[in-house]
Amino acid sequence: MTELQPLNPRVTWLWRLQGLLRLGMVWGPMAVGAGVGLGMLTVAAAGVVLTLALLAFFFAVAMVWPTLEYEYFRYAVREHDLLVQRGVLFRRRSSIPHNRIQHVDTRQGPIERLFGLSNVAVFTASGMSADGSIPGLAAKAAEALRDDLARLGGDDGV
Amino acid sequence: MTWRGLGATMGSEKKGPAEEDVEDAATELYEEIDLQDLPDARPVERKPNPLAQRMLDLDVDLGSHLQEDMHELILPLPEEGAWRGLHPASLVVNLIPRTFRMVWGFWPLLLIMLVGGSVAGGPGLGDLGFVLLFMLTGAWSTIVHFLTLRYRVHNGKFEIKQGLLNRRLRIIDPARIQNVGLVRNPFHRLSGLVEVRLETAGDARTEGLLSALSVQDATLLIRQLAALRGRSADQSDQTVPVLKLGLGELVAYGLSKPSAGYVAVLLFALIEVAPIVSPNMAALALEQLAPGLMVGLVLLAFALSWGGTVLLSTVRHYGFTLTQEGLDPSEEMKLRGREGLLTTREVVIPLRKVQLALADEPLVRRWMGFGTVSVETAGLGSLHEGIQAAELVVPMVDRQQLNSVMRSAIPRNTVDPWRFRLKAAHPRALWRLWMGTMFRSTLLAVPTTVLFWPLGLLSLMLYPLGILSGWLDYRYQGWLITPEVVIARRGFWRRRTFVLARDKLQSIHLVQGPLMRGYGLGRVVLRVAGSQVVLPDLAYLHAESLLERLSPQSDQ
């Protein structure tokens, strides 16, 4: 069996940055809103404590979670299929036979470009979301993987 | 022979007729091309063709109700590549259904008109203007549809183009057509026309919808497409009737359908319409309604909606017949379903396109001794009432025949799931089920008890009910893997048995949530084109080995 590959370690920093952005745009305002609400209902100090506690919690999650996710994320291009395993709480291991791959995309957003990383998404005819998605690969490695996967083909079972 | 899960028998998988022409499937399904540079769509003059005379002698199969028409045909075979349009009578045939669909699409507006009308004291001039606008738009779109829709078979591909301002051309590879449907509504019947639906995979819209063709045009098209796929479109001599449904079975089917939704609609309509028809009467009735009378009215609404469901489903599935064709090795095996009293539908599915067969046995239907079988291909039919994944639904199948009907769709399955004891879920799966039930019951019972004390205590009944329900659910779960198919069964209230061909598997997934991890369980999810099947929870290591062994490379 082919060795399972980890992602590029830089991806943890990409995820942390994305986590911080989410913290600033979604979780932060929510924490402040919850604090203000509690402060108005009880005393102002309680609201401040709640806001700080929530912010500290979300910050810790944004910093630690990517490490956990990186630790469990593995993929392998094997002889007959692409194997992807991911997830921290809800784990998923997917096997996508090469001959069932309809198309392979590489995507790179502005933040990903900053880190020199790319996302490879693999689609089959199942008609659902991408069956396999490998988020943090060095741009060159992602292109090579995309071309490798796209080259292998065969009966698509439809 | 007993299949012991994934035994040593793997590797004996036969290649069915399904695989032979899928190899060249790399071609594009269809392309959308800007038509600005193409010449305008004009009806092409039909020239008589000597081939047409020969075709007169052929017995073309388009269903018994269409066959009568076929004997009187004069068939002008189109030249290769000549654009053809809809039948002129399509203007009449399409007008009412298209206008109706347009009105249906704007139902919130109509509702506002209805309610607004009641406030203003009846429909006013503005409302009439709206109605007129709808009708004119309907008529306009019908005319544009007729004038611009053109199709042809060109360079081995089926092409269809339409649209006045927003023009589009679709090119469909005949090898990619999942199934061919023929539909006749009452307007089609009166004018002797037929609607042809060609469904391909990967798109929710019905590809190549030809709304009103003459029977001979439809026949020629189907023949041309079949010829391009290297198959014969003729009905084989070896046609085997699989099932024919009688009136009694259809009525029983309607009776076993849940109809509570209709009650809500009916009650809502009653509440909305009554004050409009007669405001004084409605107010008076509301004042004088005794609780007993109210219950009576609700029961009446139930009875009416039940009756309506029975009537609708009987009309829809009237005269349902299922036949299997092409048993001769030289021909393509097909399933053909015909049904309908007012609108006749005919669906032909090549067996090599079948992704999975599903037997659905809801509790009431199961008690009656019946189940419903759906056959799914990768084609997604977007009919006017929404996306339908199942192309062929056999509404009422006697339990004794469930397996034979399922096998007519997937003949490679040699195991009868109703006689063979399927493998059970892991015993710890029951504990996991119970934990989930306890959690949900607590979420419901605690606030209910607090808010509605002491009556709320009744909500504690959720716990024993949840335990019983979980146990029943667990007991009826089952799975089995043979070299050819995967069988999975779930559910007590609504027991569903899936049979899917292994050579159609698109991807295999192993999932595990935190609770499952606590119990050392894993769940295998199998995806085929357009659908997915979940196996019961198994020990994680076992599920892991299934993931490895179900991947098609193990037996190809």
Side-chain angles (χ1 to χ4, degrees):
Chain A
M1 182 170 153
T2 320
E3 199 73 11
L4 286 168
Q5 305 281 322
L7 297 176
N8 189 311
R10 284 201 301 271
V11 78
T12 52
W13 288 103
L14 170 73
W15 286 338
R16 280 185 195 121
L17 185 62
Q18 287 171 337
L20 285 180
L21 286 175
R22 269 196 299 274
L23 177 64
M25 291 198 284
V26 184
W27 301 114
M30 276 174 72
V32 172
V36 170
L38 188 71
M40 284 165 73
L41 285 175
T42 57
V43 286
V48 173
V49 170
L50 180 69
T51 304
L52 289 177
L54 282 175
L55 283 177
F57 173 74
F58 289 139
F59 181 79
V61 169
M63 290 297 110
V64 176
W65 202 261
T67 312
L68 298 174
E69 197 148 355
Y70 172 79
E71 282 307 314
Y72 192 71
F73 204 115
R74 292 286 184 274
Y75 75 96
V77 182
R78 303 191 296 185
E79 191 185 348
H80 297 284
D81 67 349
L82 168 71
L83 192 75
V84 182
Q85 65 173 40
R86 67 185 313 168
V88 177
L89 278 180
F90 292 88
R91 293 189 180 162
R92 171 176 284 256
R93 182 184 291 191
S94 305
S95 153
I96 303 146
H98 295 315
N99 55 3
R100 297 300 150 92
I101 293 174
Q102 295 282 330
H103 62 99
V104 188
D105 282 0
T106 46
R107 294 167 194 186
Q108 198 180 37
I111 308 177
E112 282 158 329
R113 201 146 44 233
L114 209 68
F115 285 87
L117 295 174
S118 273
N119 181 19
V120 177
V122 178
F123 292 85
T124 69
S126 71
M128 302 182 189
S129 54
D131 277 85
S133 171
I134 307 168
L137 289 176
K140 280 250 157 56
E143 277 169 32
L145 177 65
R146 180 198 59 200
D147 294 344
D148 268 0
L149 291 174
R151 200 167 41 243
L152 306 158
D155 170 15
D156 66 0
V158 182
Chain B
M1 181 172 181
T2 307
W3 305 113
R4 292 192 162 274
L6 287 152
T9 42
M10 297 231 281
S12 63
E13 185 161 314
K14 270 190 304 193
K15 280 234 169 194
E19 288 83 353
E20 52 191 66
D21 73 339
V22 207
E23 302 291 334
D24 58 344
T27 43
E28 288 269 343
L29 187 62
Y30 68 82
E31 306 152 13
E32 292 186 11
I33 295 171
D34 188 0
L35 276 190
Q36 297 303 324
D37 300 322
L38 292 178
D40 270 341
R42 255 173 284 131
V44 175
E45 221 178 308
R46 294 173 190 174
K47 294 177 186 165
N49 188 311
L51 259 178
Q53 293 306 316
R54 267 186 275 150
M55 292 187 76
L56 271 175
D57 303 320
L58 296 171
D59 185 22
V60 184
D61 170 57
L62 270 174
S64 55
H65 47 278
L66 297 180
Q67 253 172 0
E68 293 158 17
D69 302 348
M70 297 303 302
H71 288 296
E72 298 160 18
L73 289 183
I74 299 170
L75 298 174
L77 196 71
E79 281 184 353
E80 166 80 9
W83 287 105
R84 296 168 72 77
L86 297 177
H87 194 278
S90 74
L91 284 171
V92 184
V93 169
N94 283 334
L95 185 65
I96 294 178
R98 282 184 85 90
T99 312
F100 177 74
R101 282 202 295 278
M102 186 162 293
V103 171
W104 191 245
F106 286 95
W107 67 267
L109 192 66
L110 285 177
L111 196 71
I112 290 168
M113 271 166 58
L114 197 70
V115 177
S118 75
V119 176
L125 211 63
D127 290 354
L128 280 177
F130 267 122
V131 171
L132 207 66
L133 188 72
F134 274 127
M135 291 180 72
L136 282 177
T137 319
W140 172 246
S141 92
T142 308
I143 293 168
V144 169
H145 179 68
F146 167 71
L147 286 178
T148 61
L149 192 141
R150 295 290 177 272
Y151 70 93
R152 68 174 176 181
V153 175
H154 184 58
N155 287 340
K157 300 274 161 63
F158 174 70
E159 300 180 2
I160 181 166
K161 60 178 181 178
Q162 62 177 319
L164 188 66
L165 297 174
N166 193 7
R167 286 188 261 181
R168 74 194 293 176
L169 169 69
R170 287 184 197 165
I171 300 172
I172 300 172
D173 185 347
R176 304 294 252 161
I177 292 174
Q178 299 285 327
N179 54 40
V180 178
L182 293 177
V183 178
R184 278 189 138 183
N185 63 32
F187 302 106
H188 284 113
R189 288 179 156 199
L190 283 174
S191 54
L193 300 181
V194 66
E195 177 176 321
V196 180
R197 289 175 180 163
L198 306 172
E199 289 176 6
T200 58
D203 196 330
R205 292 164 297 188
T206 302
E207 300 286 355
L209 181 74
L210 298 162
S211 56
L213 295 187
S214 65
V215 175
Q216 62 263 45
D217 279 358
T219 315
L220 283 177
L221 177 65
I222 290 168
R223 275 173 176 278
Q224 275 182 315
L225 293 176
L228 284 172
R229 285 151 63 188
R231 321 253 177 207
S232 163
D234 298 339
Q235 189 171 20
S236 162
D237 289 338
Q238 298 203 28
T239 296
V240 178
V242 181
L243 190 77
K244 188 168 171 55
L245 294 184
L247 200 60
E249 284 157 324
L250 290 176
V251 170
Y253 172 68
L255 285 173
S256 67
K257 269 182 105 167
S259 52
Y262 295 106
V263 175
V265 172
L266 216 72
L267 281 177
F268 180 75
L270 204 73
I271 292 166
E272 275 294 319
V273 173
I276 299 167
V277 176
S278 172
N280 295 337
M281 279 278 285
L284 202 70
L286 208 64
E287 276 171 20
Q288 296 185 343
L289 263 188
L293 195 60
M294 195 69 183
V295 172
L297 272 179
V298 171
L299 285 179
L300 184 70
F302 260 108
L304 280 178
S305 76
W306 216 356
T309 312
V310 170
L311 191 71
L312 280 179
S313 54
T314 307
V315 167
R316 183 184 164 85
H317 299 294
Y318 181 80
F320 184 94
T321 52
L322 182 71
T323 49
Q324 199 179 27
E325 295 168 6
L327 299 182
D328 191 280
S330 65
E331 295 175 45
E332 178 171 41
M333 286 176 84
K334 289 177 287 195
L335 262 189
R336 185 186 294 265
R338 287 183 200 134
E339 62 178 3
L341 183 65
L342 298 176
T343 297
T344 30
R345 285 174 216 83
E346 182 167 309
V347 178
V348 181
I349 298 183
L351 290 199
R352 70 199 164 86
K353 296 287 189 190
V354 173
Q355 298 283 330
L356 70 86
L358 158 67
D360 191 3
E361 298 170 273
L363 199 61
V364 177
R365 208 165 295 158
R366 192 156 82 233
W367 279 343
M368 290 170 150
F370 289 91
T372 299
V373 173
S374 318
V375 179
E376 293 183 14
T377 66
L380 291 170
S382 162
L383 305 183
H384 311 305
E385 57 269 25
I387 297 170
Q388 285 195 333
E391 284 83 15
L392 180 63
V393 176
V394 188
M396 204 67 167
V397 185
D398 190 298
R399 187 177 300 131
Q400 304 300 323
Q401 289 179 290
L402 272 173
N403 184 51
S404 64
V405 173
M406 297 277 275
R407 276 202 69 188
S408 69
I410 303 186
R412 281 171 293 167
N413 176 28
T414 48
V415 178
D416 180 350
W418 285 269
R419 291 186 197 282
F420 192 88
R421 196 181 172 81
L422 300 179
K423 292 167 85 81
H426 194 278
R428 284 198 298 269
L430 179 59
W431 287 99
R432 197 207 137 266
L433 256 174
W434 277 344
M435 282 298 286
T437 317
M438 292 297 107
F439 181 68
R440 282 191 299 274
S441 303
T442 309
L443 274 186
L444 256 169
V446 170
T448 314
T449 311
V450 173
L451 287 174
F452 301 102
W453 181 268
L455 259 181
L457 275 176
L458 280 175
S459 64
L460 295 180
M461 284 295 289
L462 282 173
Y463 289 101
L465 283 177
I467 285 177
L468 180 69
S469 172
W471 180 74
L472 287 170
D473 201 15
Y474 169 79
R475 214 180 135 230
Y476 286 101
Q477 287 181 9
W479 64 281
L480 192 73
I481 293 167
T482 77
E484 304 279 359
V485 298
V486 178
I487 302 174
R489 176 176 286 161
R490 295 186 83 87
F492 169 75
W493 304 107
R494 188 177 174 188
R495 190 194 299 173
R496 301 202 287 175
T497 310
F498 299 86
V499 175
L500 64 90
R502 284 183 60 183
D503 60 0
K504 296 290 181 195
L505 281 176
Q506 290 291 336
S507 59
I508 305 116
H509 306 262
L510 167 62
V511 291
Q512 189 189 48
L515 200 56
M516 291 172 83
R517 191 147 55 249
Y519 286 104
L521 296 171
R523 183 179 294 169
V524 176
V525 179
L526 307 168
R527 284 188 181 174
V528 291
S531 223
Q532 69 174 19
V533 174
V534 182
L535 296 191
D537 295 353
L538 302 171
Y540 188 77
L541 286 176
H542 192 180
E544 207 172 30
S545 72
L546 283 191
L547 175 85
E548 289 299 325
R549 301 171 104 172
L550 272 173
S551 208
Q553 82 269 8
S554 321
D555 44 27
Q556 275 181 3

